[in-house]
């Protein structure tokens, strides 16, 4: 599974995503500046990590993936994605036990109105919760809490695997990745952004469930192949589908990338077919479901577009990489030195 490759070609995921139409949110510039200032006011980053945070353009990702959201909702979602970045950045440097403690702070502040231990993470989560619960529906908020618990559990387990240098088998990793990617949390804000509150029967429908997971997996698989170079340069390859595939299939890096492209194509085909098979839940619910599906489709294409508009994964060569799809691997010491505290 250990590749000696010095470069590889990305699968052409943009072409495969043509059935989905990308867009951006008109409130991006104003809300992004406010959200970035909000995060920086808590002084949670070192100078180098703050620079990395700014270069990540989290708010631009939100613009691509929630183009339909009104200003208030868009700003709140920007804050949440930035909050997730804080949890992720902190836990990336922690062992399993400490990652669980970090996660518990987030969960306590989310579960209990007014709870705080005085930490920046608790204060940030508390402020996010106050804005979210003003208008979100009770069913969607209950699901959001459950997804948050699952996310923290999997982030903690990821830290434990990283401690042991353990790489999971394909099936185990697939379930872990769905949760620790936070994609379910991001999907969980669709209803808040749309002003709807779907009944549980929709999420329990097997066809809707397949649509949901196909869209979520498209995001996860794409993100892993796009972020592979950045992660291998920091020595964090265990939590990446590329590494898992190389181990499971006994293949090289390029073959793993090609397999991801093939899987993405299968997911898209499955999604489009199931979209036509979805049953009716009644006129009002059907309209809300259509809004939810459209919001869900913004994520795979929005994530791809965003990845080529920032320096996060491909550095200043992101435009060139978009055109050629060629990724030249960065030696580990270069990124690990520049990203250390």
């Amino acid at each position: 599974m250990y590749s000696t490759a010095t470069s590889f070609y990305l699968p052409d995921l943009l072409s495969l995503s043509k059935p989905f139409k990308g867009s951006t949110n008109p409130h991006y510039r104003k809300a992004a500046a406010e959200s970035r200032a909000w995060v920086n006011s808590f002084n949670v980053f070192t100078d180098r990590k703050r620079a990395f945070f700014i270069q990540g353009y989290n708010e631009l990702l939100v613009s691509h993936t929630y183009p339909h959201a009104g200003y208030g909702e868009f700003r709140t979602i920007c804050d949440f994605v930035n909050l997730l970045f804080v949890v992720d950045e902190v836990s990336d440097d922690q062992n399993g036990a400490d990652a669980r403690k970090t996660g518990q702070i987030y969960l306590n502040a989310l579960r209990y109105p007014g709870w705080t231990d005085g930490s920046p993470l608790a204060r940030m989560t508390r402020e996010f919760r106050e804005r979210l619960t003003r208008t979100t529906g009770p069913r969607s908020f209950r699901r959001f809490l459950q997804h948050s618990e699952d996310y923290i559990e999997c982030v903690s387990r990821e830290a434990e695997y990283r401690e042991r240098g353990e790489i999971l088998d394909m099936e185990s990793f697939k379930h872990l990745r769905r949760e620790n990617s936070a994609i379910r949390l991001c999907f969980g804000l669709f209803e808040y952004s749309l002003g709807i509150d779907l009944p549980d029967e929709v999420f329990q429908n097997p066809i809707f469930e397949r649509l949901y997971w196909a869209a979520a997996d498209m995001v996860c698989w794409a993100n892993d192949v796009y972020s592979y170079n950045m992660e291998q340069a920091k020595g964090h390859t265990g939590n990446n589908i590329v590494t898992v595939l190389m181990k499971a299939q006994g293949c090289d890096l390029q073959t793993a990338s090609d397999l991801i492209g093939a899987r993405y194509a299968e997911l898209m085909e499955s999604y489009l077919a199931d979209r036509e098979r979805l049953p009716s839940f009644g006129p009002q619910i059907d309209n809300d479901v259509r809004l939810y599906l459209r919001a869900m489709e913004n994520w795979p294409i929005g994530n791809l577009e965003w990845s080529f508009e920032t320096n996060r994964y491909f550095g200043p060569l992101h435009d060139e990489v978009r055109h050629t799809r060629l990724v030249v691997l960065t030696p580990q010491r270069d990124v690990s030195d520049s990203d250390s505290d």
Side-chain angles (χ1 to χ4, degrees), residues 177 222-232 240 313-314:
R177 193 71 183 109
N223 187 75
D224 276 14
V225 73
Y226 279 18
S227 67
Y228 177 78
N229 183 37
M230 179 186 76
E231 292 178 9
Q232 67 84 27
N240 191 295
Y313 297 142
F314 307 119

Side-chain angles (χ1 to χ4, degrees), residues 6-302:
T6 58
S7 64
F8 72 103
Y9 285 94
L10 298 169
D12 191 2
L13 303 184
L14 282 169
S15 292
L16 293 173
S17 300
K18 285 182 178 178
F20 296 160
K21 307 301 180 186
S23 187
T24 55
N25 194 293
H27 304 296
Y28 163 64
R29 292 192 180 279
K30 183 174 186 292
E34 291 182 359
S35 185
R36 194 172 298 126
W38 176 75
V39 176
N40 284 333
S41 71
F42 292 93
N43 295 315
V44 292
F45 298 114
T46 64
D47 287 342
R48 286 172 178 165
K49 284 197 171 181
R50 180 177 291 110
F52 187 69
F53 162 69
I54 292 171
Q55 290 171 352
Y57 294 106
N58 295 334
E59 304 87 359
L60 183 59
L61 175 62
V62 178
S63 180
H64 278 290
T65 53
Y66 301 86
H68 55 273
Y71 177 79
E73 292 76 16
F74 180 76
R75 163 64 201 280
T76 298
I77 297 170
C78 283
D79 289 352
F80 176 69
V81 173
N82 283 329
L83 171 60
L84 277 183
F85 184 89
V86 172
V87 174
D88 187 59
E89 284 295 294
V90 171
S91 63
D92 262 358
D93 295 329
Q94 292 179 323
N95 60 32
D98 289 341
R100 287 184 186 278
K101 291 176 184 176
T102 296
Q104 198 59 49
I105 294 170
Y106 162 77
L107 288 176
N108 284 342
L110 193 63
R111 287 188 190 117
Y112 309 119
W115 184 93
T116 184
D117 65 351
S119 66
L121 178 57
R123 299 200 313 272
M124 292 174 70
T125 307
R126 179 179 174 178
E127 290 186 19
F128 160 72
R129 185 194 191 280
E130 288 173 352
R131 291 198 292 275
L132 177 68
T133 54
R134 286 174 194 159
T135 58
T136 196
R139 290 175 296 209
S140 60
F141 185 64
R142 173 175 47 78
R143 288 189 290 263
F144 186 81
L145 283 176
Q146 182 59 58
H147 296 333
S148 290
E149 292 171 5
D150 295 340
Y151 166 71
I152 293 301
E153 170 61 26
C154 286
V155 166
S156 303
R157 280 163 49 197
E158 177 194 342
E160 293 167 356
Y161 296 140
R162 187 168 59 244
E163 275 185 274
R164 300 194 296 264
E166 182 176 349
I167 298 174
L168 297 179
D169 62 81
M170 192 67 224
E171 190 63 23
S172 299
F173 179 79
K174 181 178 74 172
H175 295 292
L176 177 78
R177 193 71 183 109
R178 285 172 168 179
E179 299 296 349
N180 73 5
S181 67
I183 192 61
R184 300 195 77 191
L185 293 174
C186 294
F187 280 18
L189 294 175
F190 289 151
E191 293 163 275
Y192 163 72
S193 70
L194 294 164
I196 63 177
D197 192 27
L198 292 173
D200 289 339
E201 67 174 295
V202 173
F203 291 90
Q204 294 163 357
N205 179 273
I207 297 178
F208 183 90
E209 189 175 14
R210 289 201 303 267
L211 285 163
Y212 180 98
W213 286 122
D217 285 349
M218 277 188 264
V219 176
C220 291
W221 286 64
N223 187 75
D224 276 14
V225 73
Y226 279 18
S227 67
Y228 177 78
N229 183 37
M230 179 186 76
E231 292 178 9
Q232 67 84 27
K234 293 193 292 184
H236 291 176
T237 57
N239 184 47
N240 191 295
I241 194 67
V242 175
T243 303
V244 174
L245 275 172
M246 285 194 286
K247 178 184 178 183
Q249 301 289 332
C251 64
D252 62 14
L253 176 56
Q254 186 58 60
T255 301
S257 178
D258 295 341
L259 287 170
I260 288 172
R263 179 57 180 157
Y264 193 97
E266 292 173 356
L267 291 167
M268 178 63 76
E269 182 179 3
S270 170
Y271 182 94
L272 297 175
D274 278 333
R275 192 173 62 181
E276 300 304 314
R277 301 188 185 111
L278 195 63
S280 173
F281 300 94
Q284 181 55 53
I285 296 177
D286 285 351
N287 184 63
D288 290 349
V289 169
R290 279 192 292 272
L291 291 173
Y292 191 99
L293 291 181
R294 182 65 185 90
M296 197 157 59
E297 291 167 12
N298 285 319
W299 250 101
I301 184 62

Side-chain angles (χ1 to χ4, degrees), residues 302-320:
N303 180 57
L304 298 179
E305 293 286 356
W306 170 78
S307 296
F308 290 116
E309 289 181 8
T310 79
N311 289 351
R312 181 165 175 80
Y313 297 142
F314 307 119
L317 299 178
H318 52 82
D319 287 332
E320 181 180 331

